[in-house]
Amino acid sequence: MEFDLVIIGSGPGGYKAAITAAHLGAKVALVEKALPGGTCLNQGCIPKKTLIHLASLIEDVNGLQGRGLIGRVRGDFMAAMAHKDEVVTGIRNNFTVWLKRLGVRVFIGEGKLLGDGRISVHPARNLNSPECDAPFTDRGKLTVTAPLELKARRIIIATGSTPRELDTCPSNAREIMHSPDFMYRLDHLPKSILCVGGGSIGVELGFLLHQFGSRVCIVEQGGRLLDQPHIPERASAVLERKFARIGIEVRKNVSVAQSQIIDGRVEVTCTDGHRDTFEHVLVAVGRRPMTAGLGLEEAGVALNSEGFIEVTEYLETSVPGIYAIGDVKPGPMTANAALHDAKVAAANAINGNVLRSNYHKVPTVIHSALEIATVGLTEDLAEQAGFDADVARSNFGGSGKARAHHNYEGFIEVVHDAETGQLLGGCIVGPEAGEQIHMMSAACQSERGLWFFTDMSYSHPSWCEELETAIDPYTSAFSKSGKEVFRPGIFAGHPK
């Protein structure tokens, strides 16, 4: 069977690439060795957000006791897990229906590069993994039962990643877990859990379990939670303060030196000598690319020293016509980044290499005790890039909507160039930050830039009107300065 494009992997990157290419008129095939939707749908973004929504509701309702609500709410963890499974299954069972409407052919099997645009598809071997126990109604129609070969002018590899192991705390998928084990093997609410790693998975799942009643401790080898260049230190500090207030223990500059399972519990000794025992340990120390069995070496696709597929700025590999997107290549390992990659690589695969990836345009969102969202450059990154960075700030304490919701812990930062007013990026911490950040992203790509926020007509009360509150003093000062102001956002008119 011949196609214009064959995509291996059906996570956010894979399915978005398929949709993009189909809209461009291409004949597309999508190959998936396990459940459609990949990690994001089955083990990550969707189930995690479903559970954290419930955890946040517990906090919101209990925070309004005596303010019009009576009767505290407590969580039912196993009912929440069942609800999560129902949500995921419902989306997954419609997944191939949506693609079929666009003419995309889906094959459930293991894809392997053969060279010269050929891809073999063999029956999948891991359909008995825990996450595959949930029903997938279309599987019988799509599952490859005998080897077949596909031919394509272009190929996109979107096979994603898998959790990294920690030598001092090796997973056994029971007492010591990774996030997929948490989602599909955990059959009770742990009385206590240690989250090893203070990145997005650790702070999100740690908050979730705390809200349902677990004793939670997070250890992070870095000096702060969410220790990433694109997340401002101020955002990490606010989250750490909230964790301390609600009773989540955080130990920084610490990792696990030794662990052992004794009578079904995990005894952990940390690098600072501290020792404690937990019912479960969640290891969340990063992820590694899934490249084994794809035939990359035989096809001539180069990998870097860490095992990621090397790509150009167009997301093309060392083999012309073969592209790689998402976690399998260097760059941010998030669903948002994979979706960005997908549109770039699919357009390049069909129309020629004209688009370049730019992760500063991609929002990062953390769903935890506080929602944190960023896009563009932080103040530190802006200074490193040579800008005269300044930050307009506002907190939600003065927001009418935040006060009405009794939920005003958080802030807005708008990063701009002090000399020209050019909008460079920003951060939002607080309610619906992941939705509000799209306004910031649009402004960064607008010809109006910082003035985008003053041009808007807002509903009142709303979260987003605080963006105008933050920048009002700065736009006013620029207007009065008499300077010839450069107004476009940093990505305005950027075609790449």
Side-chain angles (χ1 to χ4, degrees):
M1 286 180 276
E2 294 193 5
F3 296 88
D4 297 313
L5 177 67
V6 170
I7 303 161
I8 304 176
S10 72
Y15 82 72
K16 178 59 75 172
I19 291 170
T20 301
H23 283 314
L24 292 172
K27 183 180 179 182
V28 183
L30 184 64
V31 180
E32 171 57 59
K33 70 177 182 179
L35 290 177
T39 295
C40 177
L41 173 56
N42 297 291
Q43 306 168 4
C45 317
I46 302 302
K48 185 172 59 179
K49 187 64 174 75
T50 301
L51 293 169
I52 289 175
H53 175 63
L54 295 172
S56 298
L57 283 176
I58 294 171
E59 180 181 35
D60 291 345
V61 172
N62 288 335
L64 289 168
Q65 295 301 303
R67 297 175 181 271
L69 298 180
I70 300 173
R72 297 188 67 82
V73 174
R74 61 185 180 86
D76 181 336
F77 183 69
M78 293 316 299
M81 294 293 271
H83 170 61
K84 172 263 299 181
D85 291 342
E86 182 180 347
V87 170
V88 171
T89 301
I91 297 173
R92 186 170 58 225
N93 286 343
N94 283 300
F95 184 93
T96 54
V97 176
W98 300 329
L99 292 174
K100 185 177 179 181
R101 289 173 181 168
L102 292 173
V104 177
R105 289 288 305 273
V106 179
F107 299 90
I108 303 299
E110 297 193 18
K112 183 177 181 179
L113 303 181
L114 301 175
D116 298 324
R118 295 177 299 123
I119 305 97
S120 68
V121 184
H122 287 261
R125 292 169 291 179
N126 67 342
L127 290 179
N128 293 320
S129 60
E131 61 269 28
C132 291
D133 290 342
F136 170 46
T137 57
D138 275 339
R139 181 184 293 163
K141 303 174 187 176
L142 305 172
T143 301
V144 172
T145 57
L148 58 88
E149 185 175 301
L150 310 179
K151 177 78 173 177
R153 294 192 307 109
R154 299 288 186 267
I155 298 168
I156 293 178
I157 301 168
T159 48
S161 62
T162 191
R164 289 188 182 276
E165 288 288 351
L166 182 63
D167 292 341
T168 56
C169 197
S171 169
N172 65 0
R174 297 186 304 276
E175 293 87 358
I176 303 176
M177 305 178 296
H178 292 301
S179 53
D181 309 317
F182 177 97
M183 289 297 175
Y184 288 97
R185 293 182 185 270
L186 194 58
D187 59 2
H188 67 285
L189 175 68
K191 293 181 180 178
S192 59
I193 190 164
L194 173 69
C195 298
V196 184
S200 59
I201 293 175
V203 302
E204 290 176 338
L205 296 186
F207 169 67
L208 162 68
L209 286 171
H210 170 271
Q211 290 301 99
F212 280 90
S214 298
R215 175 175 75 90
V216 177
C217 177
I218 301 174
V219 295
E220 164 57 42
Q221 66 177 358
R224 64 181 174 110
L225 297 180
L226 303 174
D227 193 5
Q228 298 293 328
H230 57 281
I231 296 180
E233 289 189 20
R234 188 175 179 218
S236 298
V238 172
L239 181 62
E240 289 172 20
R241 287 197 296 271
K242 177 150 189 187
F243 276 175
R245 190 172 72 253
I246 66 177
I248 295 177
E249 182 183 3
V250 176
R251 302 176 61 81
K252 296 178 288 187
N253 299 304
V254 170
S255 189
V256 174
Q258 183 181 349
S259 64
Q260 56 180 335
I261 299 173
I262 303 174
D263 297 329
R265 294 172 61 83
V266 188
E267 183 181 274
V268 176
T269 303
C270 292
T271 50
D272 62 356
H274 180 78
R275 181 177 296 175
D276 203 345
T277 301
F278 299 89
E279 186 177 348
H280 286 284
V281 173
L282 173 67
V283 177
V285 293
R287 300 178 65 86
R288 59 180 177 81
M290 296 179 65
T291 56
L294 292 176
L296 299 179
E297 292 184 2
E298 297 87 340
V301 175
L303 306 179
N304 69 14
S305 59
E306 296 181 322
F308 292 94
I309 297 176
E310 293 183 344
V311 293
T312 68
E313 59 188 341
Y314 302 107
L315 303 181
E316 192 170 28
T317 70
S318 57
V319 178
I322 299 180
Y323 297 78
I325 63 176
D327 291 4
V328 79
K329 45 155 279 302
M333 301 180 82
T334 67
N336 295 351
L339 291 167
H340 167 77
D341 286 349
K343 290 190 279 189
V344 171
N348 289 340
I350 304 306
N351 293 331
N353 290 343
V354 293
L355 300 184
R356 297 180 176 88
S357 61
N358 183 345
Y359 299 114
H360 290 308
K361 297 168 67 173
V362 181
T364 296
V365 182
I366 308 296
H367 303 280
S368 186
L370 292 167
E371 199 162 309
I372 299 171
T374 68
V375 73
L377 305 180
T378 64
E379 183 178 12
D380 288 343
L381 289 176
E383 289 176 351
Q384 293 171 23
F387 293 98
D388 182 9
D390 199 356
V391 181
R393 291 188 172 96
S394 178
N395 65 64
F396 287 111
S399 163
K401 184 160 187 175
R403 288 288 176 177
H405 283 235
H406 192 58
N407 191 353
Y408 43 83
E409 186 174 15
F411 64 86
I412 291 171
E413 288 188 350
V414 183
V415 182
H416 59 279
D417 184 71
E419 188 63 30
T420 66
Q422 184 180 22
L423 178 59
L424 305 176
C427 174
I428 302 174
V429 178
E432 300 296 334
E435 296 296 327
Q436 295 182 64
I437 202 66
H438 294 115
M439 181 84 79
M440 189 93 72
S441 182
C444 285
Q445 299 178 58
S446 166
E447 290 292 337
R448 295 287 287 164
L450 196 62
W451 280 260
F452 177 94
F453 301 121
T454 64
D455 293 343
M456 288 289 299
S457 294
Y458 300 88
S459 64
H460 176 75
S462 67
W463 303 116
C464 286
E465 65 183 333
E466 295 308 308
L467 286 162
E468 184 178 27
T469 301
I471 61 90
D472 260 346
Y474 293 86
T475 52
S476 177
F478 273 114
S479 298
K480 294 175 181 177
S481 69
K483 288 193 272 186
E484 184 176 341
V485 179
F486 175 65
R487 294 180 173 179
I490 188 173
F491 305 122
H494 197 292
K496 310 304 183 192

